[in-house]
Amino acid sequence: MVRRSARVRTRALSGSDTNESPKRRRTSEATGHELPVLTSRAHRNSQLGHEDDLEGRHVCMKDDEFCAQNLLLQPLEKLDKQANQLSVISVDLHKEENRSNHWTSEYEIEHLVIRRGQAFEMTISFDRNFDPEIDTITLQLVTGKRPQESKGSVRRLVVHKELYHIDRWCAQLKDIGDKTANIRIMTRADAIVGQYGMWVETLTKTDDTVFHVRHKCDEAVYLLFNPWVPEDDVYMELEEEREEYVLNETGAIWVGNWRRFGPVHWNFGQFEDIALDVALYLLDKAELAPTARSNPVQIVRTLAAMVNSNDEDGGILEGRWTRSYPHGSTPPTAWTGSAEILEKFVENDYQPVKYGQCWVFAGLCTTLARVLGIPTRVITNFESAHDTDASMTIDFHYNEDDEPVDYLNDSVWNFHVWNESAFRRPDLPSGNDGWQAFDATPQEVSEGVMRCGPAPVNSIKKGDVYMLYDLPFVFAEVNGDRVYWVVQKDGTMKADGVSKHCIGKHISTKAVGSDERVDITDTYKFPEGSEDERKCVLKANKFSSRKDHNIYDKKMEADVSMKLTGSSNMDILVGEDATVTLEMANISTETRTLNVVMCSKMAFYTGITFQDIKTEKFAVTMEPKSEEKVTMIISQKDYLDNLVADGAIKTFVKATVAETQQLFVDFDVIDFVKPDMNVEVLDDPIVMNEDFEVKISFANPLPIPLKNCHFHAEGSAIHSHSHRHRGNIGPNKEVSAKIRVKATRYGRRKLIVNFYSEQISGIRGYAFINVKKYHPKVVS
């Protein structure tokens, strides 16, 4: 028995009013675009060869031909209706009651949306009274391009009076009315997820005649995963977690660097009707077999592949990491939510939307997994490594003059964003249920496709990198060791040191029930430097592609403590000078001589540099028990001409103690602080389906004009897109703009606004809006 808390019941009945047709604004119907008709397994067949050459491989038959051959999909009705024949007049799916009981009232899609493993009810109206002595009712639910009873994609349920069973597909006759029958249907908790067609069959037996009628219902039924029932693999025990990870339409994604970070507010919009349509379209496009669609492992693995477009497989979003973006495209930093991306995908005839980066891919994955009923959240890992050779170590190279050799290096991202979904892993040994990491950002191929995961977080922590899927890559992202290599003049290399505690910091996600950050680093690894953490790293290293390299053998004396400080610890506005400082303390009783190199470069958040800024070298002599520090100043004129909208300054510091060969290498990132944006709602009251005005204001922090300026707005059930600002915004000038938006559902909604230009991006703000269903009555 599934019980609903009072709090959730109240929430389900707020929002769209199911007595009225849901307001459709983002669907293919609204945009004039039809979902394309996809042929099942077309890609597989094309890989096998031309159709004329496949006669001996399989029976070549189009989907519509297959369905035409299936007698269960054909209507049955006698042309000369007999008096005893029982015919269906209409079917009432009780959408309002069933949606409320299945936590799907917020879905804008017009059809019935229910969750598997839980009963729903329907009423059938006939042309005469139903007589259980002579009449039999059979319900038939079908899904997929080629429904087939032997494959589980056709379910035939004979209606009985007996109690229904919670562990099987069945149908129970609840009561009989005047020319009606009320029926309760139970689906299995491991049923195929997707869109179902429904048929109602009646069989009437008299003394000398049998009448058989099959009626196809006009409306589809969408069956989703069900985190509310323990029998479903996606079951989530705590109500507040189900509220957050399944039903919450907005969220916060952490970005920045490991010293300074903050939230990007995101509209997931999983209840927009376009979201469910596109999620199912992607499963079709990926040719995921209907039987595999009962398995959350296969679903999220498919989403990880189909959200990006790198394999030319019909995916949604194209990634791009450049200093500028082509005219007519949308820079990744401009997006405020998933719904507009999905709408553009449909409007562009299912061609990839341009452009996205990691948090955008993760936001989309959250939308598409939640709309299918899979509990999902967004994860940010600071100092996130990109291992390119399955070594599970991160290689950094410098020449004999202590200058970085950038083209040889593995990248370490300031931050990287992926997803976790919660479900059981019956395909793995016990202990691997729970949160599973997966990633749609294109980085490395997995089984020939650009995707990653799902990887059980428990196994990542333990270093069990032989588990499915892609654990070596994720392990390196959060717990790889950084290996330093000297590139000698003849091109040979030698390992110069290992940094064991620099990868994977402040792994973050949004808190349940608030926009606060929760640190979940301890779910991915044991405390840095602990015995358990080192054991796991060494265990993983046994499966490394470079396990024969003795990178952990080099020992060195360390009697000078060093720490990197400076502007990365402070609020530095764009246009201000920045500093990099190395603090040193000689704790030995002897003099120490240090050679220090400091480099600064403009870099993307992925750690890839694109412009040298400044390099300085220092020779430092330290008396016993003394302290020293050296500082490099990065002035405004050093970097301002190379500033790009989402760039940052990456610093590299290397220090060597001549007497002991002690090595110190560290990196830091100077992210500039962006000004706050004020978002003010000007109209009151705000009424559903009526335009209202919003004022946006902030100050240009730069001493140069901002060009090609746009505001981007989106929210849960709020319709607004990009708004171009006329003209440039002057140096250090205040700017304000007004935009008009519309809410399509009532209740408390969140409007998220973002500003971007050629010179700066990521200026963000938001406002909560209470949307009323009707205008308040005026008391005369």
Side-chain angles (χ1 to χ4, degrees), residues 704-738:
I704 58 176
L706 304 183
K707 302 176 182 179
N708 193 19
C709 305
H710 291 78
F711 294 96
H712 215 80
E714 186 175 323
S716 59
I718 295 177
H719 189 192
S720 180
H721 295 324
S722 180
H723 303 266
R724 184 182 178 91
H725 181 76
R726 294 181 180 178
N728 297 337
I729 298 174
N732 304 117
K733 294 293 185 181
E734 292 275 344
V735 62
S736 65
K738 294 179 180 178

Side-chain angles (χ1 to χ4, degrees), residues 398-456:
Y398 39 80
N399 59 28
E400 291 180 308
D401 295 324
D402 293 333
E403 297 167 337
V405 186
D406 290 333
Y407 75 93
L408 293 174
N409 297 334
D410 291 335
S411 63
V412 177
W413 299 30
N414 301 347
F415 69 93
H416 180 50
V417 184
W418 61 74
N419 293 95
E420 286 179 358
S421 288
F423 46 80
R424 302 186 191 106
R425 290 297 299 267
D427 59 320
L428 297 179
S430 62
N432 287 291
D433 295 344
W435 290 111
Q436 313 288 322
F438 70 103
D439 192 353
T441 301
Q443 295 187 91
E444 300 293 328
V445 296
S446 172
E447 296 180 339
V449 178
M450 197 67 75
R451 60 185 169 189
C452 181

Side-chain angles (χ1 to χ4, degrees), residues 185-330:
I185 302 100
M186 187 69 186
T187 63
R188 280 181 59 97
D190 60 356
I192 295 169
V193 166
Q195 179 181 333
Y196 282 76
M198 181 179 286
W199 303 71
V200 179
E201 292 183 18
T202 61
L203 188 68
T204 302
K205 292 184 178 180
T206 62
D207 292 338
D208 54 356
T209 311
V210 174
F211 300 102
H212 192 186
V213 179
R214 183 181 297 126
H215 170 84
K216 189 178 189 303
C217 300
D218 294 331
E219 294 198 55
V221 176
Y222 289 81
L223 188 63
L224 310 180
F225 291 99
N226 195 344
W228 280 263
V229 299
E231 295 79 14
D232 198 312
D233 280 344
V234 304
Y235 173 65
M236 184 164 270
E237 183 177 4
L238 298 179
E239 181 60 50
E240 58 268 28
E241 291 189 350
R242 295 193 292 257
E243 275 275 317
E244 181 65 50
Y245 300 131
V246 182
L247 300 180
N248 196 350
E249 293 182 79
T250 61
I253 303 172
W254 266 260
V255 300
N257 63 70
W258 74 275
R259 294 185 189 272
R260 291 188 48 81
F261 43 77
V264 169
H265 295 274
W266 192 265
N267 176 49
F268 298 121
Q270 68 266 31
F271 300 129
E272 308 286 351
D273 45 11
I274 200 169
L276 186 53
D277 283 341
V278 171
L280 297 178
Y281 165 82
L282 293 177
L283 302 184
D284 286 343
K285 186 68 176 176
E287 299 182 359
L288 186 65
T291 50
R293 301 185 192 192
S294 63
N295 185 348
V297 176
Q298 296 300 321
I299 294 285
V300 300
R301 188 153 171 78
T302 300
L303 293 179
M306 297 301 295
V307 165
N308 71 68
S309 63
N310 286 65
D311 300 292
E312 298 183 356
D313 51 8
I316 297 175
L317 190 64
E318 182 176 335
R320 184 171 175 134
W321 289 260
T322 55
R323 282 181 271 180
S324 61
Y325 294 87
H327 178 73
S329 65
T330 303

